[in-house]
Amino acid sequence: MSTRKYYVYLNGPLDCEGLQKQLDDVFTIVTPEALEEHRSKIVAVCVNNPVNSELIQSLPSLKVISCISVGYDHVDVQTAAKLGIRVGHTPYVLDDATADIAMTLLLGSARRIIEGDKIARDPSTVSFPGNKFLGQEVSGSTIGIVGMGRIGSKIAKRASKGFDMKVVYHNRRQKSAEEEHTVCATYVPVLNELLQQCDFVVLAAPSTKETYRMMGREQFKAMKKTGIFINIARGALVDHDALMEALRDGEIAHAGLDVTDPEPLPRDHPLLTMTNITIVPHIGSATYTTRKKMVETAIGNIMAGVKGEPLLYEVPETKNA
Ligand code: NAP
């Protein structure tokens, strides 16, 4: 029997014909405009926008919520768990692309690529700045990864094997000696101690109650004045006012952000006026190859969820409920 009998609510456009086709080929996709008409038939929500308790409770046949992302902080997993609705996500397939963005921001920040591009294009440029425009050495420096999980490990591999960097990391729990050996990284149990040691600090931990604003005034002060801060995790981990002050007051040298809170930042946000920051619009996993794999995984989660089978990747909150 055709799987198109399954009505799946897609709560925001995919904005890419090829990706949309992947879903359209398999399910009957319901858009927000058609939600009222099909509400009672919807068995799955395919997520790229927030899913709140009200939406979950308003879908009587809902069995599974399938995020096209590894982070699921935008889904009310507590309500889903209470109602026996499974929540799936897409780990692993986006690790390389996201680690690449971390390295892109790190290299671009260290070597002042955005500023350099402006100088090279500026109509008033008649000579290049030479020794007045120096960046920071990446090779042989120290990187601190906060959140040495799937993505953090890929960043560590790139940093240690590709750039001879010394890698230290901070998690709640130390990894096994074998895992540490694989990623060539040393554990630092106290976050502020890691911050003091590093030339580069990269956030790669999930957005949780525990990690909310984990980088604040005290943490930016703990970093080296030449330190470069990169966030590819979630904006909620960072106090953006504190980051602004740190960049303005020379507490740190540069920041590179793929994520902010909110997204996008308000157009009059002071961070947008700083020259020592590079911000990109949450493009960590944004390659066609990776997004295609993410949609495939999201489809696999929906298929399993509607049939009552174990999801390919289920979030712990509903798996252990
Ligand atoms: P993961 O494999 O679960 O790794 C997360 C790591 O963070 C774990 O090693 C965990 O170790 C650590 N951690 C959790 N809570 C912590 C805390 N309070 N303090 C310090 N470390 C903590 O997740 P992942 O797949 O690598 O993804 C990480 C996050 O990246 C996602 O949750 C998502 O928000 C973000 N992300 C962003 C993009 C993007 O486009 N920018 C793309 C993909 C993912 P312990 O449990 O030992 O603490």
Side-chain angles (χ1 to χ4, degrees):
M1 198 188 291
S2 165
T3 53
R4 287 186 53 86
K5 68 183 175 192
Y6 297 128
Y7 281 67
V8 174
Y9 177 50
L10 178 64
N11 78 339
L14 287 186
D15 292 329
C16 173
E17 210 178 306
L19 299 178
Q20 184 71 45
K21 188 170 181 315
Q22 273 181 279
L23 284 177
D24 289 336
D25 283 349
V26 184
F27 303 119
T28 296
I29 295 297
V30 179
T31 60
E33 297 73 43
L35 179 60
E36 283 319 315
E37 190 188 336
H38 299 295
R39 189 179 285 281
S40 64
K41 288 177 275 184
I42 289 166
V43 290
V45 179
C46 196
V47 182
N48 59 358
N49 272 326
V51 175
N52 59 22
S53 158
E54 199 186 337
L55 175 66
I56 296 172
Q57 296 191 52
S58 74
L59 301 172
S61 310
L62 185 62
K63 289 193 164 63
V64 58
I65 297 170
S66 183
C67 300
I68 314 176
S69 59
V70 63
Y72 52 92
D73 44 302
H74 52 314
V75 174
D76 185 340
V77 285
Q78 274 71 35
T79 299
K82 228 183 284 164
L83 298 175
I85 294 160
R86 322 237 60 107
V87 179
H89 66 151
T90 65
Y92 299 105
V93 292
L94 42 61
D95 296 350
D96 282 312
T98 311
D100 287 346
I101 277 295
M103 295 310 289
T104 303
L105 287 168
L106 186 154
L107 291 164
S109 300
R111 301 305 299 272
R112 304 172 65 184
I113 289 297
I114 303 288
E115 290 169 82
D117 177 82
K118 285 202 181 102
I119 294 168
R121 289 169 192 269
D122 192 328
S124 68
T125 296
V126 286
S127 63
F128 283 166
N131 284 338
K132 283 187 275 192
F133 187 78
L134 301 179
Q136 290 192 36
E137 192 82 9
V138 173
S139 295
S141 62
T142 300
I143 182 173
I145 298 174
V146 181
M148 180 68 88
R150 291 174 290 255
I151 296 168
S153 303
K154 294 282 188 172
I155 298 169
K157 195 171 166 195
R158 282 157 173 70
S160 62
K161 304 229 186 294
F163 296 91
D164 296 324
M165 293 170 92
K166 177 182 169 196
V167 184
V168 294
Y169 76 99
H170 172 74
N171 275 4
R172 288 167 302 178
R173 284 172 294 272
Q174 183 168 9
K175 293 189 156 302
S176 69
E178 196 187 335
E179 287 168 326
E180 288 187 346
H181 180 72
T182 308
V183 292
C184 307
T186 306
Y187 185 58
V188 182
V190 179
L191 175 62
N192 283 14
E193 285 174 15
L194 172 137
L195 299 173
Q196 286 162 17
Q197 298 173 23
C198 294
D199 303 300
F200 300 92
V201 172
V202 181
L203 287 194
S207 173
T208 62
K209 276 192 193 128
E210 234 180 321
T211 60
Y212 183 77
R213 305 291 189 252
M214 74 192 299
M215 286 298 296
R217 281 185 181 82
E218 187 194 325
Q219 286 69 33
F220 288 118
K221 273 194 180 20
M223 283 180 65
K224 291 182 181 178
K225 292 204 186 310
T226 51
I228 291 179
F229 171 72
I230 307 294
N231 187 10
I232 56 90
R234 285 287 184 266
L237 277 66
V238 178
D239 176 342
H240 286 84
D241 290 339
L243 173 60
M244 216 288 297
E245 287 166 24
L247 288 166
R248 183 196 61 200
D249 300 342
E251 298 287 354
I252 65 172
H254 200 108
L257 310 180
D258 183 42
V259 287
T260 57
D261 183 21
E263 289 180 357
L265 286 173
R267 295 301 82 188
D268 60 352
H269 196 287
L271 267 182
L272 302 180
T273 65
M274 308 294 289
T275 52
N276 53 347
I277 187 166
T278 305
I279 312 181
V280 292
H282 201 147
I283 55 171
S285 65
T287 69
Y288 184 70
T289 305
T290 291
R291 287 282 161 89
K292 194 165 176 293
K293 288 182 194 161
M294 290 164 72
V295 173
E296 276 162 18
T297 307
I299 289 172
N301 280 334
I302 294 172
M303 294 299 271
V306 294
K307 291 179 184 164
E309 295 167 1
L311 304 193
L312 305 182
Y313 300 106
E314 182 165 359
V315 308
E317 287 83 347
T318 62
K319 195 171 185 175
N320 306 326

